[in-house]
Amino acid sequence: MPPVFTKDMFCSAFMSLLPTGPIWPREPGGVLYQLSAAWAASFARSSDRASNLLVDAFPTSTMELLPEWEATLGLPDPCAGPNPSIAQRRAQVVARLTDTNGCSVPYFVAFAKALGYDITITQFAPRRFGARFGTPFGGDAWAYAWQVNAPQFTINRLKFGDSFGQPWAQWSNNVLQCELKARAPAHTILLFNYGN
């Protein structure tokens, strides 16, 4: 992001605030000009950092304050693995911040989407009298089972502006599995199906 106020702008503003008169020379080589140039550099740096704070204050665009957001939410955790990308870390922060805690199918699909995963959910039911012959027979435990259907590999690509030194892409469903297991109702059986 280009600086909002440059060093020259601060120097000019400072010089215009000085009193007028022969003891307040404004020529570029003078002591007052050099002093204002030194202060202007400091003011410009402070202005740039303040402008960056506006971008960094939001979890979807944060870089420097990402550790602060993570510490607030109990992250990083083992779900993300040993070296998650900046984008994955941001997605996990946003997902946890926007989490409304639910137990419905739309809730889990929306939560996975916030993490960056496109999933569907299959619900099961125990077999009842009148079912067609040839269909699998399930016991009462199937009433508490549900299955998350996700692509075999979810590719998380590096975006422009993310931190240098990060891999260009990562293939992993670990965060999805860990986060959904942590939110699954205790009485349910969670299954994962990774298809093509």
Side-chain angles (χ1 to χ4, degrees):
M1 185 166 114
V4 178
F5 300 107
T6 64
K7 175 184 166 186
D8 292 336
M9 293 170 128
F10 278 109
C11 188
S12 174
F14 180 75
M15 293 300 284
S16 68
L17 292 174
L18 290 175
T20 58
I23 64 168
W24 301 99
R26 290 177 166 73
E27 63 270 353
V31 174
L32 283 176
Y33 188 86
Q34 290 176 357
L35 184 61
S36 70
W39 286 342
S42 177
F43 295 151
R45 276 193 306 275
S46 295
S47 175
D48 288 346
R49 300 307 303 142
S51 296
N52 188 55
L53 184 60
L54 293 174
V55 173
D56 222 23
F58 295 97
T60 54
S61 58
T62 188
M63 287 291 287
E64 293 177 37
L65 293 180
L66 185 57
E68 308 290 331
W69 284 106
E70 289 176 325
T72 302
L73 298 166
L75 293 170
D77 63 6
C79 290
N83 190 20
S85 70
I86 297 294
Q88 287 174 317
R89 291 169 61 194
R90 282 184 195 147
Q92 204 170 7
V93 166
V94 170
R96 287 199 180 180
L97 278 175
T98 58
D99 186 14
T100 57
N101 289 332
C103 60
S104 66
V105 170
Y107 161 75
F108 284 106
V109 170
F111 184 77
K113 185 70 171 170
L115 285 171
Y117 298 91
D118 291 317
I119 66 166
T120 60
I121 293 179
T122 304
Q123 293 180 297
F124 302 100
R127 197 52 64 196
R128 303 249 191 282
F129 181 75
R132 292 185 343 210
F133 285 107
T135 57
F137 184 79
D140 290 337
W142 282 105
Y144 305 105
W146 54 291
Q147 177 177 290
V148 173
N149 305 303
Q152 185 172 6
F153 296 107
T154 300
I155 303 172
N156 296 305
R157 299 190 189 283
L158 185 69
K159 294 181 181 83
F160 182 76
D162 283 346
S163 180
F164 290 108
Q166 296 289 324
W168 286 104
Q170 290 185 345
W171 293 263
S172 172
N173 290 321
N174 294 344
V175 173
L176 172 70
Q177 230 173 294
C178 190
E179 291 282 357
L180 289 186
K181 282 181 181 178
R183 281 161 181 72
H187 66 283
T188 63
I189 302 164
L190 179 55
L191 307 170
F192 289 92
N193 175 34
Y194 296 111
N196 295 335

